[in-house]
Amino acid sequence: MANIASARKRARQAVKQNAHNSSLRSRLRTAIKAVRKAVATGDKAAAAARFQASTSVIDSIADKNIIHKNAAARHKSRLAAAVKGMA
């Protein structure tokens, strides 16, 4: 444990920020899984709707630097390809 007051405060803040970032990463993974699940069911309209919703989640999390912007673009590209590739 830190001895200096500012270091103790920084440690408290780090715990709080880590919890917040973890919840955002969880939202990201949930959004991606929702699109994958919709693609697996075969309903293209539902998959497209889920993809539209998950795109905004992915972008907002990338804007907050929780994931890199290129990683966000990669996720969106793969999801778009999966939706587009549906029969």
Side-chain angles (χ1 to χ4, degrees):
M1 184 64 192
N3 292 323
I4 298 169
S6 60
R8 285 196 297 267
K9 179 178 180 181
R10 187 34 103 179
R12 286 195 309 271
Q13 289 174 329
V15 169
K16 189 174 179 181
Q17 193 63 45
N18 185 28
H20 184 253
N21 290 346
S22 295
S23 72
L24 290 176
R25 268 192 301 277
S26 177
R27 268 184 57 206
L28 170 74
R29 292 183 188 123
T30 302
I32 291 171
K33 286 177 190 172
V35 177
R36 293 268 179 225
K37 188 175 179 182
V39 168
T41 60
D43 186 4
K44 189 164 186 168
R50 291 280 186 180
F51 173 69
Q52 203 62 276
S54 69
T55 300
S56 66
V57 171
I58 293 169
D59 283 335
S60 71
I61 290 171
D63 288 341
K64 293 172 181 151
N65 288 322
I66 306 301
I67 61 169
H68 195 272
K69 63 185 175 85
N70 291 353
R74 184 174 64 243
H75 284 303
K76 290 192 302 183
S77 175
R78 288 178 181 172
L79 292 174
V83 172
K84 186 176 179 183
M86 293 177 69

